[in-house]
Amino acid sequence: MKHLLSIEGLDPAAARQILDRSAHFKQGRGAHATLPLAGQTWALIFSKSSTRTRVSFEVGISELGGHPLFLNANDIQLGRGEPIQDTARVLGRMVHGAVIRTYAQSDVEQFAEHSGIPTINALTDAEHPCQILTDIFTYEEKRGPIAGKVVAFVGDGACNVPLSWIFAAAKLGFELRIAAPPAYRPPLALLQRAGLTHVFSRPAAGDEVITGTAPNGGKVVLMGDPHEAAQGADLLYTDVWVSMGMEAETERRLKDLAAYQIDDALVALAKPGALVMHCLPAYRDKEIHASTFETHAATIFDQAENRLHTQKAILDWITS
Ligand code: CP
Ligand code: NVA
């Protein structure tokens, strides 16, 4: 029984298979020779809002021959307090797989354990694995292998998206720089969990830069200066400053992260031809300048479209 609960738990060979098969599903859209989900019903259980993840899974499941069943967590008994274990044991008897968007990572893990059906993390507070697989597929279709490249994440470095990027860098052998204020950086223990063994720090103006490396060339660098992070990077990446569930902190976050906007001046420091990506939804003139967003809209909306193709590769891998 396979699950996709995190990038942390994903075997690098499986990640590579999903990335390579994404191109196959993109090219073959509308003419898939085999329908791996034929006769299957897949539940989508969402406790948080979604446009891309929901639509790409609903369309992807249908196009692979299956039937998607969207369940807003508030409309089922889960929203009234029925335990996740019982929800899992019931759905495991009725549907063939589950795609879950929620808060606690332990909820998707418990669902997988108790349902006995393939379970996919469609975003938790800890990780967004489907997003990062899509992002890497998008990078590679435009620029070739990501191994050895430099990805600069600028903004809230402690939310689900950069955390998944950390595990991806450690597994796939590229450098990830995270530029964020100290309170918005991932804990050092997470770098160790990712297998980044040689963790060391060097002083920087009033701050420190922490570096962890993996034997395959994977590297994660945590720093305060977005300019240093962008220098010579192959990909600049950002995400919202206020993730779902953090709305009460909006005012403080907008203030704390104001210096961490991707704008043209930051992009100018990156490698010529560097890509700019955003997982979306985007807040213009917050985490990304409005005109910078438009300059890179072709990449960003290719990235959004690719959610569909990569979800299909994930579904194909998980059911094979
Ligand atoms: N990027 C992403 O997951 O978008 P949604 O929240 O719209 O699914
Ligand atoms: N970090 C964001 C990602 C949205 C796709 C959030 O959790 O809201």
Side-chain angles (χ1 to χ4, degrees):
M1 174 72 51
K2 288 186 218 158
H3 305 289
L4 176 59
L5 304 181
S6 59
I7 299 289
E8 180 175 11
L10 185 63
D11 173 49
R16 184 41 60 199
Q17 186 185 329
I18 292 166
L19 292 167
D20 294 344
R21 289 285 282 171
S22 297
H24 161 85
F25 283 107
K26 186 166 186 172
Q27 281 146 20
R29 187 171 184 207
H32 299 316
T34 53
L35 297 176
L37 302 191
Q40 297 194 8
T41 296
W42 276 63
L44 276 67
I45 308 164
F46 279 46
S47 302
K48 293 176 176 173
S49 303
S50 173
T51 300
R52 283 143 287 271
T53 309
R54 175 181 174 174
V55 175
S56 58
F57 267 111
E58 289 207 41
V59 172
I61 289 165
S62 299
E63 291 188 1
L64 293 183
H67 172 68
L69 179 66
F70 184 78
L71 301 169
N72 181 325
N74 288 326
D75 294 340
I76 58 176
Q77 297 289 5
L78 183 67
R80 295 182 67 246
E82 184 169 17
I84 190 80
Q85 297 92 322
D86 292 354
T87 306
R89 289 194 287 185
V90 172
L91 291 185
R93 290 165 182 245
M94 295 186 186
V95 301
H96 302 87
V99 179
I100 303 178
R101 170 169 285 201
T102 190
Y103 296 86
Q105 178 70 17
S106 58
D107 279 356
V108 291
E109 287 167 2
Q110 285 188 35
F111 189 97
E113 184 187 338
H114 294 283
S115 66
I117 55 175
T119 302
I120 297 173
N121 173 358
L123 181 148
T124 61
D125 291 342
E127 281 223 32
H128 196 359
C130 300
Q131 179 70 54
I132 274 54
L133 288 167
T134 299
D135 299 337
I136 295 172
F137 166 59
T138 306
Y139 181 84
E140 292 194 334
E141 78 170 341
K142 294 179 184 300
R143 294 286 188 272
I146 199 160
K149 298 292 196 307
V150 176
V151 178
F153 182 96
V154 178
D156 176 10
C159 76
N160 41 24
V161 167
L163 300 190
S164 285
W165 270 110
I166 287 175
F167 292 108
K171 281 175 202 270
L172 299 176
F174 59 90
E175 178 174 339
L176 173 70
R177 300 174 185 163
I178 295 181
Y184 296 83
R185 290 180 208 161
L188 286 189
L190 198 111
L191 266 53
Q192 276 145 1
R193 246 168 63 195
L196 298 158
T197 46
H198 298 93
V199 177
F200 61 94
S201 74
R202 73 171 159 79
D207 196 6
E208 61 175 351
V209 174
I210 308 275
T211 302
T213 58
N216 65 357
K219 187 171 172 183
V220 173
V221 189
L222 311 180
M223 59 183 77
D225 183 0
H227 305 98
E228 183 180 349
Q231 200 74 48
D234 297 280
L235 167 61
L236 295 185
Y237 195 107
T238 192
D239 182 11
V240 296
W241 287 344
V242 184
S243 284
M244 291 179 280
M246 300 291 191
E247 290 78 5
E249 299 180 5
T250 300
E251 200 181 331
R252 178 162 60 77
R253 286 174 164 265
L254 298 193
K255 201 154 72 67
D256 290 350
L257 292 163
Y260 291 85
Q261 182 185 84
I262 293 187
D263 60 11
D264 289 351
L266 204 66
V267 177
L269 298 173
K271 206 171 265 179
L275 295 177
V276 175
M277 291 193 195
H278 192 309
C279 58
L280 299 176
Y283 291 81
R284 287 165 177 75
D285 298 330
K286 299 285 188 302
E287 72 273 4
I288 189 163
H289 193 277
S291 66
T292 309
F293 180 90
E294 287 309 325
T295 303
H296 296 276
T299 301
I300 291 166
F301 289 103
D302 279 353
Q303 185 190 356
E305 176 196 321
N306 283 341
R307 295 295 306 276
L308 171 64
H309 311 303
T310 302
Q311 315 299 31
K312 284 183 180 170
I314 291 167
L315 291 161
D316 183 52
W317 165 77
I318 215 164
T319 52
S320 63

